Amino acid sequence: STLSSSSAASDVYRRQRMDAMLNQQMALELRRRRENQLLRINNAFKRMDQGRYGKCGKCGNPIDEARLEVFPDVVTCVACA
């Protein structure tokens, strides 16, 4: 009886530890995504300052306005994406 309750407590602890590790990984991934999004937005502002915003970074053609409305940080036109 003591052995089974000890084993059950160990299982609960193990599950709690796994949940904590998973939550930590999810938080780190969310932070990484936010940092990447901020970097893309800052780069879009730089392109605006340089007069390159709205121009494809590969071919130089204009990026469709509808595409920019949906993805304001996009750097390529549909053809080059």
Side-chain angles (χ1 to χ4, degrees):
S1 169
T2 305
L3 184 59
S4 65
S5 64
S6 173
S7 177
S10 177
D11 285 346
V12 168
Y13 171 76
R14 201 173 301 122
R15 274 187 246 126
Q16 288 174 341
R17 180 74 179 125
M18 289 175 65
D19 284 347
M21 289 170 55
L22 180 61
N23 287 338
Q24 181 182 27
Q25 289 300 314
M26 288 171 48
L28 289 171
E29 178 63 16
L30 182 59
R31 180 178 177 179
R32 184 189 67 78
R33 287 181 185 196
R34 285 183 185 154
E35 288 172 351
N36 284 339
Q37 183 180 30
L38 186 57
L39 180 64
R40 290 191 311 269
I41 291 169
N42 284 332
N43 287 337
F45 282 128
K46 287 178 186 176
R47 289 192 305 279
M48 284 179 188
D49 291 342
Q50 298 167 349
R52 295 185 301 121
Y53 183 77
K55 295 178 186 172
C56 179
K58 288 186 178 181
C59 71
N61 288 329
I63 298 172
D64 188 75
E65 284 188 38
R67 180 169 168 79
L68 288 171
E69 285 180 25
V70 176
F71 305 108
D73 57 342
V74 73
V75 294
T76 57
C77 65
V78 173
C80 292

